[in-house]
Amino acid sequence: MTGTEDIRYPEFASLYKTSFPVFEQRTEEQQQIAFRQNNYHLDLYYEEDTFIGFLGYWEFDTYIYIKHFAIHSTLRGKGQGSRILESFIAGQEKIILLEIDPLVDEVSEARFRFYQKCGFYRNDHTHTHPPYRDGYQAHPLLVLTTQRKITGQEYKEFGKDLEQVIMKK
């Protein structure tokens, strides 16, 4: 999908709004800004005519950052998410980076195990993600990567990209 005018956009937007807390969601205007960036991609997944989910990511010179990944609630736990994610990873040569909530309960621990099974490593970098919306606070997240843990320099590069490109308003 390349813009909010796409006829599939409402289907994406509905799943997006129910899958992420509001402070992790772009506003409509921020989503339009993201679509205008050449390194932003939003892939939608279908099985026949059924919308399964989406993967929103940013591609940089040395890594790919998955910002949003969601599977329709009626299809979760049926292997769709791991199939999509594992296929995506297999098609990339670069390290893939994503963030998850800190491990504080059974849900967050199950999410971590899911990503581990898909080949992600937990990094030790202290990470705080800025909010997309005014009135919300930055929040701590864990950084996961494929292939290996990233170095401190690689983490700094991600932090710079996060601030200057991804969170661009």
Side-chain angles (χ1 to χ4, degrees):
M1 177 180 307
T2 59
T4 57
E5 69 285 346
D6 188 299
I7 61 169
R8 300 168 299 168
Y9 186 78
E11 198 168 43
F12 153 75
S14 177
L15 179 57
Y16 181 66
K17 289 176 182 172
T18 60
S19 298
F20 299 95
V22 70
F23 59 86
E24 288 185 15
Q25 295 176 31
R26 287 185 186 88
T27 64
E28 190 83 12
E29 181 181 339
Q30 290 167 329
Q31 187 65 48
Q32 290 172 356
I33 291 169
F35 277 129
R36 290 193 294 265
Q37 307 303 311
N38 290 334
N39 58 337
Y40 175 71
H41 307 274
L42 181 59
D43 296 347
L44 304 183
Y45 295 89
Y46 290 83
E47 192 166 275
E48 296 180 18
D49 291 335
T50 302
F51 177 54
I52 297 172
F54 67 87
L55 198 150
Y57 64 97
W58 296 80
E59 186 165 0
F60 294 95
D61 290 341
T62 59
Y63 70 95
I64 294 171
Y65 169 53
I66 295 177
K67 179 55 194 143
H68 293 104
F69 175 53
I71 300 299
H72 197 282
S73 61
T74 61
L75 300 171
R76 290 181 192 146
K78 298 180 180 178
Q80 297 286 0
S82 52
R83 181 182 59 80
I84 289 169
L85 191 56
E86 288 168 359
S87 176
F88 181 81
I89 292 167
Q92 309 300 326
E93 292 182 14
K94 298 176 183 178
I95 285 178
I96 298 172
L97 183 149
L98 57 79
E99 304 149 314
I100 62 169
D101 290 326
L103 308 180
V104 296
D105 57 21
E106 288 181 28
V107 172
S108 58
E109 289 174 8
R111 186 172 294 123
F112 176 62
R113 286 190 303 274
F114 166 79
Y115 285 112
Q116 275 186 309
K117 287 178 186 174
C118 291
F120 283 85
Y121 296 87
R122 180 180 173 177
N123 287 255
D124 298 323
H125 307 287
T126 302
H127 180 65
T128 303
H129 192 286
Y132 277 105
R133 298 169 185 250
D134 293 336
Y136 291 91
Q137 299 297 314
H139 54 285
L141 294 173
L142 301 177
V143 174
L144 306 181
T145 51
T146 58
Q147 300 180 18
R148 60 176 171 77
K149 293 181 178 185
I150 57 173
T151 66
Q153 183 58 40
E154 289 170 317
Y155 175 74
K156 285 180 186 176
E157 186 69 25
F158 165 63
K160 186 181 103 187
D161 291 336
L162 181 62
E163 182 180 315
Q164 296 177 1
V165 178
I166 298 159
M167 298 302 293
K168 183 179 178 180
K169 293 183 180 180

